Amino acid sequence: MTIQAARPAPTLTTSMGGERMTVAIGGGWTIHASREMEDLLIALKPGVSGFVTIDMSGVTHLDTAGAWLIHRLQGDFEFKGSRVEFVGLSDKFKSLVGEIESHHPPTWKPRIRGRSIMGLLEATGRQMVEIGKDVVAVCHIVGSLAVVLSGILVNPRRLRGISVAVQFDRSCIGAVPIVALMSFLIGGIISQQGGFYLRTFGADLYVVDLAGVLVLREIGVLLTAIMVAGRSGSAFTAELGSMKMREEMDALHVIGLRVTEVLILPRLLALMIALPILAFIADLSALFGSGLVTWAYLDIPPQIFMQRLNEAVTLETLWVGLLKAPFMAMIIGLIACVEGLKVSGSAESLGLHTTLSVVKAIFMVIVVDGLFAIFFASVGI
Amino acid sequence: MREAGEQALKPGQRSEIEVLKARGVTVGFGDKLVLENLDLDVYRSEILGFVGGSGTGKSVLMRAILGLVEKRAGKIEVFGEDLDKTSPEERAGIERRWGVLFQQGALFSSLNVRQNIQVPMREHMNMSQRLMDEMALLKLEMVGLPRDAAEKAPSELSGGMIKRASLARALALDPDLVFLDEPTSGLDPIGAAAFDDLIKRLRDALGLTVYMVTHDLDSLHSICDRIAVLGERRVLVTGTIDEMMQVDHPWVKAYFRGERALRRAEQDEV
Ligand SMILES: Nc1ncnc2c1ncn2[C@@H]1O[C@H](COP(=O)(O)OP(=O)(O)OP(=O)(O)O)[C@@H](O)[C@H]1O
Ligand SMILES: [Mg+2]
C-alpha cells in the first residue's frame, strides 16, 4: 500500500454504429482527476442519436465524483431524447452507482452577484438603519445600567467589587507602563519640535507653556483614551463576543443573572476609574519627558522649567483635562459592550465587531473631545 | 488510491491489511499520563467502534493519531507510513486520504455549509465551480441534510445537523479512512439509526475504513465489525460484540452487560 499509487488517467472514446452510439469509459474516474474528467465530458457533445450505450468495462477506479459525472452524462443524453443503457459495470462499483442514483442534486445554476446603483443605495440605507440600531442599543444598555445602578444604591452588596477590581487590574495597572512610555515620548517630541521653532523668535522659554498647556488640556487624556480604546475596548468586545458565541450569555440569562450587572457594569466602572488615573500618569510622564528634552536640547535647567510651568499652568488646566476622562471611558466602554453583544455565531463577525468597536470608540472620543473644547470655550475656561 | 478488487469486501470477510497501526503510544498533559504504551490496529474496510468511560482519552488518542496532540513515545503508522517520518508531501497525501468528524463538529463558522464542504476540494483538487457545487449538494443529500441547509451558516444549524454537515465535509474527498468522534450523540434514535445505516452503506459503497468513537450501544451492535475498549490508559480488549460479552473485566462487563445493555439485548430477542 503506497501513498500515491500511479493512478490510471480517465479515458473516454466514442464510436457510432448506425443508430447506436457507444461511449467507452475507462481508467480511473476519481476526484483526483476531476479536471481531466470534466474536460473529457465537455469535449463530448451529446448529439441526437436514438440509442446510447455507456460501456464501463474499462473503469478501474471509481468514486462518488466519477460516478456523479457519469450519472450526469447519462442525464444529458436522456435530456436530448436518447435511450441510455449501461454495460460492463463491474460488481464492486454497483453499490456506489446505486448510491449516487438515489440522490439527485438540483440542476446547477451559477450564482450571479448583482452590482448596481440600486445596490449602492440599498447598502447606504442599511448602514443608516444600522446606525439607528446602534443608538437604540446604547440607550438600551444605558437604561438597564440605570436599573442596575439604582438596585445597587438600595443594596450596595450587589455591586461586584471583585469583578471591578479584576477589571481595574487589567485595564489600569496593566496599561501603566505603555501609557507612561508613550506619553513620555510625546512630551519629548512636542518640546523638541516646538522648542526649535520658538527659538527662531528667541522665545525658547515659551516651549514650557506650549507643552504644559497642550499636554494637560488635550494630549495627555486624548492619547490615553485612544490607547485604552485599542487595549481594553477591543478586549471587552472580544470577551463579550466570544461569550455570546458559546451561549455563555444565554446561560447567565437562564440562571437569572443580568448581563449588564455581571459583565458590563464592572467593566464600565473599572474603566471610568482607570482612565482618569492613567491620564494623570500620562500627564506626569509627558511633562517629565518635556522637561528632559528642554534641558538637553534648549539648555533650560529643571529649576527654570518648574518655575515657568508654575506660571503657565494652574490646577484648573489639569482639571480641564482630567474631567474629560470618565466621559471618554464611558463612551469606550459602552461602544465596546454594544459591539460585543452584536457578535453573531461566526468567527468573522467577532473580528468585524472588535475592529468596529475600536474604530468607533476612537472616533467618538475625538468627537467628544471637540464638544468639550466648545463647552470650555463658551464657559470661558 | 485503493486498489481494484478491494473496493467492496463482502461482509464478514475481513481484510488483514492494517490501515492504522499504533504501537506504544504514550500521551500526557503536564505530569498526568492520559495514554500509556497503547497498541491499536485498524484493518481496511472495517468499522471499528471505540468505547471507554468519559475522560479516558478517546478524543485524545484520535487527536494524537491526527498529529494534533504531541505524543511522548510510540509509533503511529497510517496507510503503512510512519507519521513521524513522512515528508511534507507524503503527509499532505495522507491528509487527503483521511476525513475527520470532530466531537463538536468544528465547522468553519464564517463559511456556509456548502462552502464548508468545498474547502477540502478547493484546497486539494482542481475542479470547476459547477462540479464542486454539485458534489457539495450530493454529499449533503447523502448525509441526509435538507437541500436548503446548503446556504445556512453553521450557527443556524441544530446539533444533529452540525454532525451531518461535518460528516459531509469529512467525506468531501472520498477518503479511505474516516475518524468519527461520537457521531450519533445528540441525535434522536431514528436519526442515529439512519446515521449508522448511512455509515454502513458508505463503507459498502466506497470501501471506507471507519474509526468511530461512540457510546451508542445500538451502533456497537448494529454496524461495528470490531470493538476496542479504552481503559487504564491503554486498549483493554478488542473483538467483536459477541466476544465483548464474554470479557470479565469489571468495566467491560458493566458496559456490555449492564442494565441498559441487557434491556437492549432483550429487545433484540423479541
Ligand atoms: N488540552 C488538554 N490539557 C490537559 N488535559 C487534557 C487536555 N485534553 C484532554 N485532557 C484530559 O485528558 C483526558 C481525556 O480526555 P478526552 O477528551 O480524550 O476524553 P474522552 O475519552 O474523549 O471523553 P468523552 O467521552 O467525554 O468525550 C481528560 O482527563 C482530560 O481532562
Ligand atoms: Mg471525547
Side-chain angles (χ1 to χ4, degrees), chain B residues 25-194:
Chain B
V25 173
T26 302
V27 181
F29 298 101
D31 51 8
K32 182 173 151 261
L33 287 183
V34 178
L35 306 172
E36 193 175 5
N37 219 350
L38 175 145
D39 297 344
L40 178 71
D41 290 314
V42 182
Y43 300 104
R44 169 175 291 200
S45 289
E46 75 170 349
I47 300 179
L48 176 80
F50 207 80
V51 300
S54 266
T56 46
K58 303 179 297 296
S59 301
V60 168
L61 174 61
M62 193 179 103
R63 295 173 68 84
I65 295 170
L66 296 171
L68 301 173
V69 170
E70 197 80 14
K71 59 180 185 306
R72 302 234 171 116
K75 190 171 91 161
I76 295 175
E77 281 180 14
V78 176
F79 305 126
E81 300 279 328
D82 186 343
L83 287 185
D84 295 325
K85 300 207 180 96
T86 48
S87 67
E89 297 86 61
E90 286 171 328
R91 174 89 199 174
I94 292 175
E95 280 165 359
R96 227 169 290 174
R97 291 178 59 188
W98 71 30
V100 184
L101 166 68
F102 287 97
Q103 196 166 4
Q104 320 286 351
L107 293 172
F108 302 117
S109 59
S110 48
L111 305 178
N112 66 28
V113 171
R114 177 179 52 79
Q115 290 162 335
N116 259 289
I117 302 175
Q118 288 172 349
V119 168
M121 305 183 194
R122 205 179 288 281
E123 292 308 314
H124 287 310
M125 300 292 155
N126 176 10
M127 297 166 79
S128 69
Q129 184 63 41
R130 172 175 181 188
L131 185 58
M132 278 201 291
D133 283 350
E134 287 170 344
M135 290 308 292
L137 287 175
L138 186 71
K139 300 273 146 131
L140 210 70
E141 290 239 320
M142 283 169 81
V143 299
L145 276 175
R147 222 166 260 177
D148 62 1
E151 302 299 320
K152 281 192 176 147
S155 56
E156 298 164 356
L157 301 180
S158 76
M161 288 163 89
I162 290 178
K163 287 264 152 83
R164 288 168 189 271
S166 175
L167 178 68
R169 185 180 69 185
L171 294 175
L173 295 184
D174 279 324
D176 296 337
L177 171 62
V178 283
F179 294 90
L180 310 175
D181 197 348
E182 306 204 11
T184 52
S185 71
L187 296 188
D188 63 282
I190 303 171

Side-chain angles (χ1 to χ4, degrees), chain A residues 1-3 34-35 38 61-65 68 72 92-93 96 99 104 106 108 111 346-347, chain B residues 1-2 4-5 7 44 81 97 109 114 126-128 130-131 133-135 139 141 147 174 201 206:
Chain A
M1 224 173 162
T2 52
I3 300 297
S34 347
R35 186 57 71 177
E38 289 190 273
H61 299 73
L62 189 69
D63 68 1
T64 44
W68 162 251
R72 196 169 92 188
K92 62 186 183 200
F93 299 136
L96 175 59
E99 183 69 36
H104 301 277
W108 185 74
R111 268 173 296 281
S346 73
Chain B
M1 211 49 241
R2 65 184 79 83
Q7 200 149 15
R44 169 175 291 200
E81 300 279 328
R97 291 178 59 188
S109 59
R114 177 179 52 79
N126 176 10
M127 297 166 79
S128 69
R130 172 175 181 188
L131 185 58
D133 283 350
E134 287 170 344
M135 290 308 292
K139 300 273 146 131
E141 290 239 320
R147 222 166 260 177
D174 279 324
R201 265 188 300 132
L206 301 171

Side-chain angles (χ1 to χ4, degrees), chain A residues 186-263:
Chain A
I186 290 288
I189 293 167
I190 289 175
S191 317
Q192 195 251 9
Q193 298 279 304
F196 280 113
Y197 190 68
L198 289 172
R199 177 176 269 180
T200 53
F201 304 108
D204 318 22
L205 202 53
Y206 284 102
V207 74
V208 184
D209 296 54
L210 173 73
V213 174
L214 197 58
V215 163
L216 293 189
R217 280 187 76 122
E218 293 293 335
I219 299 287
V221 64
L222 194 60
L223 282 182
T224 310
I226 290 174
M227 180 59 96
V228 166
R231 224 181 144 268
S232 306
S234 60
F236 290 178
T237 308
E239 283 164 10
L240 295 183
S242 64
M243 288 184 78
K244 180 116 191 280
M245 274 166 71
R246 283 183 291 156
E247 298 183 334
E248 289 174 49
M249 297 261 177
D250 303 340
L252 282 176
H253 265 296
V254 295
I255 296 173
L257 296 170
R258 278 166 175 271
V259 172
T260 342
E261 183 182 330
V262 183
L263 300 176

Side-chain angles (χ1 to χ4, degrees), chain B residues 8-22:
Chain B
L9 283 166
K10 299 277 173 305
Q13 162 197 3
R14 200 170 78 205
S15 158
E16 291 302 325
I17 306 167
E18 294 107 348
V19 170
L20 178 89
K21 193 162 142 187

Side-chain angles (χ1 to χ4, degrees), chain A residues 12-91:
Chain A
L12 186 150
T13 47
T14 53
S15 53
M16 291 293 293
E19 268 286 271
R20 184 169 288 276
M21 177 175 176
T22 306
V23 181
I25 291 173
W29 281 66
T30 67
I31 195 165
H32 301 274
S34 347
R35 186 57 71 177
E36 291 92 320
M37 297 191 297
E38 289 190 273
D39 289 346
L40 283 175
L41 291 183
I42 289 168
L44 170 80
K45 293 212 176 47
V48 205
S49 62
F51 297 93
V52 178
T53 307
I54 298 183
D55 180 3
M56 306 254 297
S57 50
V59 175
T60 55
H61 299 73
L62 189 69
D63 68 1
T64 44
W68 162 251
L69 283 174
I70 294 170
H71 185 65
R72 196 169 92 188
L73 177 71
Q74 180 194 359
D76 287 347
F77 274 123
E78 283 174 352
F79 184 70
K80 289 266 160 58
S82 314
R83 171 169 297 192
V84 183
E85 64 175 5
F86 282 93
V87 295
L89 179 63
S90 79
D91 280 344

